[in-house]
Amino acid sequence: MSIVASSLGRITASPTRAIAARAAQLEREGRDIIALAAGEPDFDTPQHIRDAAVAAMNQGKTKYAPQGGLPELREAVCRKFKRENGLEFSPAQTLVTTGGKEALYLALMASLDPGDEVVIPAPYWVSYPDMVRLAGGTAAIVDSDPARGFALAPEALAAAITPRTKWLILNNPGNPTGALIDAAGLRAIAQVLREHPQVWIMSDDIYEHVLYDGASYHTIAQVAPDLAERTLTVNGLSKAYCMTGWRIGFAAGPRLLIDAMTKVQSQSTSCACTISQWAGVAALDGDQSFIARHNAIFQERRDLGLSILNQSNGLRCATPGGAFYLYVDCRGVLGKRTPQGKRLANDEDFVTYLLDSQGVAAVHGAAFGMSPFFRISYALATEQLEDACTRIQRACGELEAA
Ligand SMILES: Cc1ncc(COP(=O)(O)O)c(C=O)c1O
């Protein structure tokens, strides 16, 4: 009998972590590596948020937080939803979690029975299907349309829904594509869901504030209030507030589900870090002006990356509306040969070639459920990004037709 649970056979270790490990190994060997694989801003957490954490520690606010989160933070979360999304929640309809990731995980653990299906549009964030499987459910992957900016076609969604479908996971703006679904796109999805009252919506809005070109943001509970009674809206502070390591996320939705999630949390992590929760109050209630400043820098980097990559032989990338990723079509390099004579058969071969020949770590599209693409994150210093994209361009130039 193995010490490892058989349920783990259903999931894979994170492919993005495997790439990071290979890049770290090459770096130890003395290679000059630029990692474009991580999904976190390079900016520091703003000072006023750090100050709030220091004050909390110095005031002895270092004990367990109450079940569900600090009342002050749950109230700040309610204010955020009202101010930014026009959504009314009471604190009891909210839950503070250890990162947005815990909110998603708790929701799946609290709701899935064996055989329940979760519709996940591809390309998807790597964790969704495996979290579903860990919770005993089945991931039903439905392709979005790269030709339409990775929009999820209503017909494709309708075809993926069965009587066993319990959830649709919607990630907007999306990782890995950066695609932004506008209000009309959300309304079209809502229209399909009205036909299927058994399907709940898990709206992962973690990149809500990382938006470009003056875009405005909509979440599905806002554009389809009639679906709010079966929508869980998940968000967090990791991305726009540059707080990945603080581990603060939150969710809001119907009491029945929030209570069930809280029950799972009470028997697993107990609560999110109390000090981080006090920092979270400062983040949500405090000055927000740094977000626009960061977005202006991200937008410059997005445009720089797009310009170099779209001039690279065999690569193509549309302009994403949010998040900090480019999901680059690399169909045009497949079948070519590297200077070492290896034929590139798929996107994994291409990212391996980029890492080995140029020291650039990107993630292959297969990891996100749609090939042939690769993802780069542009949440790193502009000069490094330029260097990395120029290396990718050079790598493409050195390929030979087969
Ligand atoms: C789409 C998406 N959802 C959720 C998360 C989780 O974020 P965190 O747990 O750091 O709040 C991430 C992080 O990369 C993400 O990309």
Side-chain angles (χ1 to χ4, degrees):
M1 195 168 67
S2 168
I3 186 64
V4 178
S6 53
S7 59
L8 280 200
R10 296 198 295 264
I11 68 162
T12 51
S14 164
T16 45
R17 290 198 151 263
I19 287 161
R22 172 132 179 79
Q25 169 66 26
L26 288 174
E27 212 157 23
R28 275 195 299 277
E29 290 167 12
R31 292 278 309 280
D32 165 26
I33 301 293
I34 308 179
L36 303 176
E40 61 182 344
D42 54 321
F43 307 120
D44 284 337
T45 306
Q47 187 66 50
H48 67 281
I49 300 176
R50 285 184 273 155
D51 289 345
V54 172
M57 279 190 285
N58 290 337
Q59 290 161 17
K61 294 173 172 169
T62 53
K63 307 282 202 297
Y64 291 124
Q67 198 86 81
L70 287 176
E72 290 83 351
L73 183 52
R74 294 171 94 182
E75 280 159 17
V77 164
C78 293
R79 284 192 290 278
K80 172 258 177 294
F81 278 121
K82 179 140 180 49
R83 183 176 70 236
E84 297 179 345
N85 310 107
L87 297 175
E88 295 271 2
F89 292 107
S90 67
Q93 291 176 295
T94 70
L95 173 63
V96 175
T97 54
T98 300
K101 197 168 193 172
E102 193 197 14
L104 301 164
Y105 189 67
L106 292 176
L108 295 169
M109 289 300 284
S111 63
L112 292 184
D113 285 315
D116 285 346
E117 295 168 13
V118 178
V119 173
I120 302 173
Y124 44 72
W125 180 42
V126 288
S127 293
Y128 296 139
D130 282 333
M131 285 203 276
V132 166
R133 291 179 197 120
L134 260 185
T138 303
I141 309 297
V142 52
D143 281 351
S144 61
D145 184 358
R148 291 176 49 229
F150 297 99
L152 176 60
E155 319 76 66
L157 170 60
I161 293 174
T162 76
R164 292 304 307 265
T165 305
K166 206 155 205 178
W167 287 102
L168 162 68
I169 301 184
L170 262 191
N171 177 211
N172 185 34
N175 178 1
T177 61
L180 178 65
I181 315 174
D182 63 9
L186 290 172
R187 279 193 203 99
I189 291 169
Q191 195 50 34
V192 173
L193 296 173
R194 288 193 180 98
E195 306 289 313
H196 303 279
Q198 81 282 15
V199 182
W200 282 58
I201 306 122
M202 198 175 295
S203 184
D204 180 351
D205 299 357
I206 195 95
Y207 295 99
E208 167 179 13
H209 292 294
V210 188
L211 298 181
Y212 308 120
D213 307 314
S216 54
Y217 188 75
H218 300 88
T219 189
I220 194 156
Q222 180 183 18
V223 304
D226 56 314
L227 301 183
E229 63 192 24
R230 48 183 169 114
T231 300
L232 182 74
T233 306
V234 176
N235 211 318
L237 304 179
S238 291
K239 310 292 177 175
Y241 293 87
C242 313
M243 292 176 68
T244 45
W246 299 70
R247 313 305 302 127
I248 295 293
F250 48 87
R255 251 322 267 282
L256 182 68
L257 176 63
I258 293 291
D259 287 351
M261 291 166 64
T262 309
K263 199 168 174 183
V264 181
Q265 188 186 53
S266 77
Q267 295 296 15
S268 49
T269 56
S270 293
C271 61
C273 167
T274 304
I275 301 156
S276 297
Q277 291 199 48
W278 284 109
V281 175
L284 289 179
D285 283 348
D287 171 39
Q288 310 284 308
S289 60
F290 62 91
I291 294 179
R293 283 199 300 279
H294 290 174
N295 284 353
I297 298 170
F298 281 141
Q299 186 168 325
E300 258 176 49
R301 293 176 183 170
R302 177 198 68 171
D303 293 342
L304 176 71
L306 279 171
S307 146
I308 303 173
L309 295 177
N310 276 326
Q311 291 173 52
S312 306
N313 275 342
L315 303 186
R316 249 180 331 122
C317 187
T319 304
F324 33 64
Y325 306 105
L326 296 177
Y327 201 57
V328 188
D329 185 329
C330 60
R331 194 174 310 266
V333 300
L334 300 191
K336 293 187 177 174
R337 282 191 193 284
T338 69
Q340 293 72 36
K342 178 165 176 15
R343 187 178 165 278
L344 299 177
N346 53 41
D347 50 25
E348 188 165 7
D349 285 352
F350 183 61
V351 296
T352 304
Y353 166 60
L354 289 181
L355 186 55
D356 291 344
S357 70
Q358 305 291 336
V360 173
V363 186
H364 52 295
F368 305 100
M370 189 177 278
S371 292
F373 291 87
F374 67 95
R375 187 195 78 172
I376 66 162
S377 159
Y378 50 89
L380 79 167
T382 308
E383 310 76 66
Q384 270 191 307
L385 176 71
E386 183 166 18
D387 184 1
C389 291
T390 306
R391 293 188 198 189
I392 295 173
Q393 185 177 25
R394 190 182 317 134
C396 292
E398 288 174 2
L399 291 172
E400 291 155 26

